[in-house]
């Protein structure tokens, strides 16, 4: 697609001063992750970044190929690794990249982000974002996106499987058969029909699980810090204790927060029904595992399923889940009717494909158009795409400190141009302004860029044209 005539003719005149990228090659339209416009007859204009070379993306931890396909289609330079990286190696890698994609094993702390001089966006190809220093990223003008929806069904289905497996002691029977032991028993093996499932956290996963459990004939109750409308015949209970005292199966679906750390410990186990079951597919810190070990040894609970742990190995391999990682590992693994899985709640082909599309699309829209809708640490701002008729337009993306006087200063810089669209939003100490301005020739871009860079409120400035 050709560029507007005035830009095309003048681009060579200052190319030695500022690198002009040839990427991206495609634009993202709302609701269309692969770039085709959903509005008939409307052709969006491909925007290019000013003052940067080709966009470089680093993908770690075997991010799904759907994301790689999206990024390659945009013309980005993509480096793909199947594993996470040690901190020192990651510091070297992150210095030059504009975007990084991670899953749950990579910790992007302040020390690492301090070295990310060109980084503008982080994609967490998972639900959680606790592995990223979100506050520091925002202060550096780095938007963070995640996938809050795409693996909900996969996690919910795993929990249903664990409920049945625990109720029938299926894990123990399978282990016995693998060692040649035939142990056909029915004592303390149950149907789940008519039993009560208590869901702690009635969000995307908890609510889907609620529907599935009712289809199996279970009674569903749930506890959440918010008042949430129930699906089906589920009932919200007012306190965590009320849920624990009624539920035959308790499952957790809460984020990792200071207030959720060890939210199930000795006192909570004492509140649970004798012979009940506990399932955790949320975050490893929400259960006091030594207390769980004692509750299982005493027979207070009849079994448990854990998919997440306070400390998890950084890679796959034999012997990595050991007492060196968590001091209670041996005590836990020696217990009967305990299902242990290696953080696979969202590890299905369907979920990982959907996550790749969801996060890959969000990251690309932020790079290509500046849209921050869905960012977890950043003001959410978006403007409609420019069209092919918008020949002399530039899009200004200006991340700045949230202080008085910014709009006045910025609009004075825009004085020679017509402001066609402008939107600003703040979140805490950070604000984000997007503006489409017209009557902009390529020869004016450098002056405009430098003026914005020199403002005292500036954090990150990007120009797309």
């Amino acid at each position: 697609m050709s560029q507007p005539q005035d830009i095309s003719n003048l681009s060579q005149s200052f190319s030695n001063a500022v690198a002009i990228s040839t990427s991206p090659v495609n634009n993202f339209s709302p609701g269309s992750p692969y770039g085709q416009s959903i509005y008939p007859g409307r052709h969006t204009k491909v925007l290019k970044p000013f003052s940067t070379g080709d966009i470089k993306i680093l993908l770690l931890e075997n991010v799904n190929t759907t994301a790689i396909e999206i990024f390659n289609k945009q013309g980005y330079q993509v480096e793909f690794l199947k594993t996470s990286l040690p901190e020192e190696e990651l510091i070297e890698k992150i210095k030059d990249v504009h975007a990084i994609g991670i899953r749950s094993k990579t910790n992007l702390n302040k020390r690492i982000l301090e070295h990310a001089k060109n980084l503008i966006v982080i994609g967490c190809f998972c639900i959680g974002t606790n592995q990223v220093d979100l506050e520091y990223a925002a202060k550096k003008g780095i938007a963070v996106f995640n996938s809050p929806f795409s693996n909900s069904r996969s996690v919910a289905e795993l929990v249903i499987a664990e409920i049945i497996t625990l109720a029938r002691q299926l894990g123990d029977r399978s282990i016995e058969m693998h060692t040649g032991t035939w142990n056909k028993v029915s004592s303390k093996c149950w149907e789940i029909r008519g039993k009560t499932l208590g869901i702690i956290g009635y969000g995307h996963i908890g609510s889907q699980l609620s529907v599935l459990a009712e289809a199996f004939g279970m009674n569903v109750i749930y506890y959440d810090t918010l008042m949430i409308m129930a699906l089906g015949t589920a009932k919200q209970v007012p306190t965590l204790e009320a849920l624990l005292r009624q539920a035959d199966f308790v499952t957790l679906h809460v984020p990792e927060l200071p207030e959720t750390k060890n939210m199930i410990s000795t006192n909570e186990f004492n509140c649970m029904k004798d012979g009940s079951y506990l399932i955790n597919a949320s975050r490893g810190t929400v259960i006091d595992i030594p207390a769980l070990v004692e509750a299982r040894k005493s027979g207070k609970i009849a079994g448990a399923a854990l998919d997440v742990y306070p400390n998890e190995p950084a890679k796959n391999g034999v012997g990595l889940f050991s007492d060196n990682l968590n001091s209670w590992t041996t005590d836990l693994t020696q217990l009967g009717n305990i299902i242990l899985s290696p953080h696979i709640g969202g590890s299905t082909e369907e979920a990982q494909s959907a996550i790749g599309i969801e996060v890959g699309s969000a990251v690309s829209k932020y790079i290509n158009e500046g849209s921050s809708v869905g960012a977890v640490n950043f003001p959410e701002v978006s403007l409609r795409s420019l069209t092919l008729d918008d020949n002399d337009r530039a899009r200004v993306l200006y991340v700045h400190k949230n202080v008085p006087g910014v709009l006045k200063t910025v609009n004075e810089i825009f004085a020679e141009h017509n402001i066609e669209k402008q939107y600003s939003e703040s979140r805490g100490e950070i604000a984000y302004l997007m503006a489409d301005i017209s009557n902009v020739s390529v020869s004016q871009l450098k002056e405009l860029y430098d003026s914005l860079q020199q403002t005292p409120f500036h954090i990150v400035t990007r120009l797309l044209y």
Side-chain angles (χ1 to χ4, degrees):
M1 187 180 296
S2 62
Q3 293 297 316
Q5 188 64 39
D6 61 332
I7 291 178
S8 177
N9 292 339
L10 291 168
S11 60
Q12 188 62 39
S13 64
F14 64 97
S15 61
N16 293 332
V18 182
I20 302 299
S21 173
T22 58
S23 64
V25 298
N26 211 345
N27 237 36
F28 273 61
S29 298
S32 178
Y34 290 105
Q36 288 76 31
S37 176
I38 62 174
Y39 304 107
R42 180 172 182 238
H43 300 285
T44 59
K45 178 181 178 181
V46 175
L47 297 174
K48 298 195 302 181
F50 174 83
S51 79
T52 186
D54 287 347
I55 298 296
K56 297 180 180 179
I57 297 183
L58 174 64
L59 299 178
L60 304 177
E61 302 184 63
N62 205 26
V63 167
N64 194 266
T65 55
T66 53
I68 301 172
E69 290 167 3
I70 288 173
F71 295 143
N72 283 336
K73 188 175 182 180
Q74 296 304 304
Y76 305 149
Q77 295 182 23
V78 180
E79 182 177 359
F80 169 76
L81 299 174
K82 290 187 176 181
T83 64
S84 58
L85 292 174
E87 186 167 299
E88 295 303 323
E89 189 173 345
L90 181 55
I91 286 174
E92 287 301 313
K93 284 278 188 183
I94 207 170
K95 286 180 179 179
D96 298 324
V97 302
H98 301 93
I100 185 170
I102 63 172
R103 295 176 68 187
S104 58
K105 294 177 181 177
T106 299
N107 182 17
L108 293 179
N109 54 38
K110 178 179 178 181
R111 179 170 180 261
I112 292 173
L113 294 177
E114 283 176 337
H115 292 83
K117 303 302 182 184
N118 297 325
L119 194 66
I120 59 173
V121 60
I122 296 169
C124 296
F125 289 79
C126 51
I127 291 180
T129 56
N130 55 291
Q131 69 275 39
V132 180
D133 189 330
L134 297 177
E135 183 178 354
Y136 183 74
K139 289 180 178 179
K140 285 203 67 176
I142 302 169
V144 180
F145 296 90
N146 69 333
S147 178
F149 313 111
S150 294
N151 69 359
S152 302
R153 177 71 181 202
S154 295
V155 177
E157 288 187 6
L158 179 67
V159 173
I160 287 291
E162 290 174 334
I163 290 170
I164 296 172
T165 300
L166 289 172
R168 298 294 296 274
Q169 301 179 21
L170 185 58
D172 287 2
R173 298 295 85 80
S174 176
I175 292 171
E176 290 164 356
M177 288 291 288
H178 277 276
T179 60
T181 301
W182 184 273
N183 187 19
K184 183 179 179 180
V185 296
S186 59
S187 176
K188 297 185 179 179
C189 294
W190 316 96
E191 293 182 353
I192 67 170
R193 178 180 54 175
K195 305 302 187 296
T196 297
L197 173 63
I199 301 173
I200 302 173
Y202 202 70
H204 304 301
I205 297 172
S207 56
Q208 283 213 36
L209 175 60
S210 174
V211 174
L212 294 177
E214 284 197 5
F216 279 87
M218 300 189 80
N219 305 309
V220 178
I221 59 175
Y222 63 93
Y223 169 72
D224 199 287
T225 56
L226 303 175
M227 292 297 296
I228 300 177
M229 185 180 71
L231 299 181
T233 61
K235 294 179 175 61
Q236 186 164 7
V237 296
T239 64
L240 176 60
E241 182 177 342
L243 181 141
L244 296 174
R245 293 193 182 281
Q246 297 177 56
D248 300 298
F249 295 84
V250 175
T251 179
L252 293 112
H253 303 283
V254 297
E256 183 177 61
L257 300 169
E259 54 267 35
T260 62
K261 184 175 182 179
N262 289 339
M263 70 180 300
I264 303 296
S265 190
T266 301
N267 290 338
E268 288 71 31
F269 282 115
N270 290 337
C271 291
M272 292 175 66
K273 295 171 68 173
D274 292 345
S276 56
Y277 304 85
L278 180 67
I279 299 165
N280 183 25
S282 59
R283 287 292 177 261
T285 57
V286 303
I287 291 180
D288 180 352
I289 296 184
L292 182 151
V293 171
E294 293 305 314
R296 181 68 189 99
K297 284 181 177 179
S298 69
K300 177 64 180 180
I301 62 171
L306 303 179
D307 187 49
V308 288
Y309 311 90
N311 299 298
E312 299 180 356
K315 59 182 180 180
N316 294 340
V318 177
L320 298 179
F321 188 66
S322 66
D323 288 340
N324 292 329
L325 192 66
N326 297 290
S327 61
W328 35 256
T329 300
T330 298
D331 293 336
L332 182 67
T333 56
Q334 291 178 346
L335 297 173
N337 209 23
I338 297 289
I339 302 170
L340 303 176
S341 53
H343 204 150
I344 57 171
S347 296
T348 62
E349 293 287 355
E350 295 90 345
Q352 292 306 309
S353 176
I355 289 170
I357 293 171
E358 184 179 1
V359 180
S361 298
V363 168
S364 293
K365 279 186 70 68
Y366 185 71
I367 293 171
N368 293 3
E369 300 178 11
S371 173
S372 60
V373 174
V376 297
N377 69 326
F378 215 67
E380 294 189 79
V381 175
S382 184
L383 294 176
R384 69 168 176 81
S385 302
L386 296 177
T387 68
L388 295 181
D389 297 328
D390 299 322
N391 288 331
D392 61 348
R393 273 69 168 177
R395 174 162 289 182
V396 178
L397 311 174
Y398 181 68
V399 185
H400 60 89
K401 298 173 185 176
N402 186 21
V403 295
V406 175
L407 286 179
K408 178 182 177 182
T409 301
V410 171
N411 287 332
E412 286 176 352
I413 295 173
F414 294 161
E416 296 182 12
H417 312 284
N418 183 43
I419 302 174
E420 298 202 337
K421 300 187 294 292
Q422 186 179 65
Y423 184 44
S424 180
E425 187 64 80
S426 63
R427 180 170 177 170
E429 300 178 6
I430 306 302
Y432 182 30
L433 180 147
M434 290 181 66
D436 287 343
I437 58 177
S438 60
N439 302 319
V440 182
S441 67
V442 75
S443 61
Q444 296 172 307
L445 288 176
K446 187 176 189 306
E447 180 182 352
L448 186 64
Y449 179 82
D450 290 342
S451 297
L452 291 168
Q453 287 273 94
Q454 292 166 11
T455 57
F457 335 102
H458 157 83
I459 296 176
V460 170
T461 299
R462 290 200 293 144
L463 294 184
L464 306 177
Y465 70 99

